[in-house]
Amino acid sequence: MIGIHDRPGSFSDRWILYCTDKGIPFRRVNCLATDVVLQCKGLDGLLWHWPHDDPQHVIVARQVITALEMQGLSVFPNVNTCWHFDDKIAQKYLLESIGAPLIPTWVFTNKGDALRWIEGAAWPKVFKLRCGAGSANVRLVHSRSQAIALCRQAFSSGFPAVAGYLTDMQTRARTTRNAHEFWQRLARAPRSLLKFMALRRQMHWERGYIYFQEFLPGNAFDTRITIIGDRAFGFMRANRPNDFRASGSGSIIYDPEKIDKRCVEIAFQVADRMGTQSLSFDFLFNQQHVPMIGEISYSYKSLAVHACEGHWDREGTWHAGHVWPEEAILEDLLASCRQRTQKAGSLNISVGSSVG
Ligand SMILES: Nc1ncnc2c1ncn2[C@@H]1O[C@H](COP(=O)(O)OP(=O)(O)O)[C@@H](O)[C@H]1O
Ligand SMILES: [Mg+2]
């Protein structure tokens, strides 16, 4: 029996559909409830697609998942998969520690150190907040004086974790396909504005640190590799017009021939080393045309991955056909539950029932 946290619009929609279709026993678990540990008693596994932009989830997700793993459950996402989610500072130290090709990155938690470094650094560099998606909290810093101004703000008022409501309006306008969609979006605007204002109030401000990354010029797109178990999916995302940023541009290029296979190899190696179940990697190329990792994330748009015409396995063999990430994740979790049960059976201990 597995548990699923039902969050409409997330991976859980397809998990529930799949289990219902295939007769896989599951029950709904509210991972935000105070009795979540009790709710999970007797379960073999748990699936919870928690988002970065909902404070309720962010406050407890990592802690609940760590506790449930202690309880003996196979959880998606497991700790290795999500402890660094939406945390570019965690990702910097993690990727450095395992020798992964991270774009050179600097983090300072002391204003004096930051200012001294800024003095000697060459510009431009990329400034990022540790959190955020769709390029919302990423900008190019052209000069030392700009960097100093950011540094002052970082160590005083800070920055809102949620970017302004009107941020990226051009992209929204560009990705509106027709008049119908335009009117739909306009009709939704008051509600989404209210939602945004509530979120802004709830979400914290980012302050007390500053993050810079080497700017890799000349990348017209980034390469997104998504690893799910033994499968690698790849596509490219074109930058916004006259912008260095691809993430969130909505312009996806599906052409497996154009994907640099070194990115696939690196993604498999890093995912293995980290012990992750599913992870997306954003690659950019440096001046020597070496692929470098900019960001990793366990959460991504499943539709974009499903649109890939196929995937590679570890041997580099291409498997044609569309795959729903949710289904691949679920199948892998069920396999890991079976493995645990077999192992526990041979050791004669019960799985998932050590807490009363
Ligand atoms: N160091 C960099 N040099 C050049 N472009 C970058 C760099 N870092 C990020 N970008 C561009 O900005 C986009 C957003 O950056 P990313 O770190 O992935 O933030 P997000 O979490 O918002 O997706 C990337 O898709 C890439 O196109
Ligand atoms: Mg990104």
Side-chain angles (χ1 to χ4, degrees):
M1 172 74 85
I2 55 165
I4 298 177
H5 179 94
D6 185 5
R7 187 172 66 86
S10 78
F11 289 2
S12 64
D13 293 348
R14 221 157 258 287
W15 288 332
I16 291 171
L17 256 176
Y18 189 83
C19 287
T20 312
D21 272 6
K22 305 254 173 202
I24 298 164
F26 76 98
R27 68 168 183 253
R28 286 178 171 77
V29 170
N30 179 3
C31 292
L32 302 176
T34 186
D35 66 347
V36 57
V37 171
L38 200 64
Q39 283 184 58
C40 289
K41 203 183 159 199
L43 290 179
D44 301 306
L46 176 79
L47 294 143
W48 178 13
H49 184 204
W50 61 277
H52 71 282
D53 58 356
D54 182 328
Q56 261 194 294
H57 289 254
V58 174
I59 286 169
V60 293
R62 288 179 180 86
Q63 293 73 4
V64 167
I65 286 170
T66 310
L68 291 176
E69 282 195 355
M70 291 293 287
Q71 196 176 343
L73 264 76
S74 295
V75 184
F76 176 86
N78 64 12
V79 172
N80 287 344
T81 302
C82 74
W83 71 267
H84 40 77
F85 173 48
D86 197 38
D87 186 348
K88 291 182 175 74
I89 295 183
Q91 293 165 25
K92 163 192 155 63
Y93 297 123
L94 170 62
L95 294 171
E96 283 179 355
S97 75
I98 60 174
L102 167 75
I103 303 173
T105 300
W106 297 267
V107 171
F108 302 97
T109 53
N110 175 288
K111 190 176 171 187
D113 289 345
L115 287 172
R116 270 188 292 281
W117 178 84
I118 286 170
E119 220 29 61
W123 306 92
K125 292 256 181 311
V126 179
F127 164 88
K128 300 183 183 182
L129 296 185
R130 75 194 303 174
C131 60
S135 300
N137 295 332
V138 174
R139 51 178 123 158
L140 200 56
V141 182
H142 296 275
S143 64
R144 183 176 305 160
S145 57
Q146 241 183 327
I148 292 170
L150 283 168
C151 190
R152 289 212 177 99
Q153 190 173 344
F155 289 96
S156 55
S157 60
F159 307 88
V162 182
Y165 183 68
L166 297 178
T167 305
D168 222 11
M169 276 315 247
Q170 275 171 330
T171 302
R172 271 186 259 177
R174 200 169 32 79
T175 54
T176 305
R177 278 165 302 189
N178 49 42
H180 177 66
E181 203 169 289
F182 171 78
W183 288 113
Q184 268 188 333
R185 285 190 174 191
L186 201 65
R188 278 200 306 265
R191 229 181 63 211
S192 61
L193 182 61
L194 284 177
K195 214 171 128 193
F196 162 78
M197 279 161 41
L199 193 62
R200 253 276 167 99
R201 269 197 304 276
Q202 284 172 43
M203 290 290 275
H204 59 279
W205 281 60
E206 291 286 316
R207 57 165 74 94
Y209 74 89
I210 195 154
Y211 176 115
F212 289 108
Q213 199 164 62
E214 197 65 76
F215 173 55
L216 302 188
N219 283 274
F221 54 83
D222 74 358
T223 300
R224 163 62 68 97
I225 304 293
T226 306
I227 301 287
I228 310 175
D230 298 327
R231 319 159 192 83
F233 302 83
F235 54 78
M236 291 172 304
R237 302 178 301 180
N239 292 357
R240 292 162 175 75
N242 306 315
D243 197 321
F244 74 103
R245 299 165 310 166
S247 167
S249 72
S251 313
I252 304 187
I253 305 154
Y254 292 100
D255 186 347
E257 297 295 316
K258 287 207 179 119
I259 300 283
D260 190 315
K261 301 304 171 299
R262 290 175 298 173
C263 298
V264 177
E265 277 166 33
I266 295 168
F268 266 132
Q269 277 168 14
V270 174
D272 281 351
R273 179 72 178 78
M274 284 170 58
T276 56
Q277 298 153 312
S278 175
L279 202 65
S280 70
F281 294 78
D282 295 345
F283 285 96
L284 293 170
F285 293 88
N286 68 11
Q287 296 293 75
Q288 290 73 43
H289 205 67
V290 173
M292 311 284 283
I293 301 172
E295 200 199 6
I296 52 175
S297 174
Y298 100 87
S299 183
Y300 41 79
K301 285 214 162 55
S302 79
L303 200 65
V305 174
H306 178 260
C308 293
E309 288 163 17
H311 65 272
W312 295 275
D313 63 22
R314 282 162 193 283
E315 279 68 52
T317 308
W318 176 254
H319 300 263
H322 298 275
V323 174
W324 282 110
E326 297 91 324
E327 296 183 1
I329 287 167
L330 175 54
E331 281 163 11
D332 288 355
L333 190 90
L334 290 173
S336 111
C337 289
R338 277 193 293 274
Q339 256 174 20
R340 267 171 183 260
T341 314
Q342 275 164 10
K343 215 161 128 193
S346 61
L347 293 171
N348 201 20
I349 50 172
S350 67
V351 173
S353 57
S354 52
V355 172

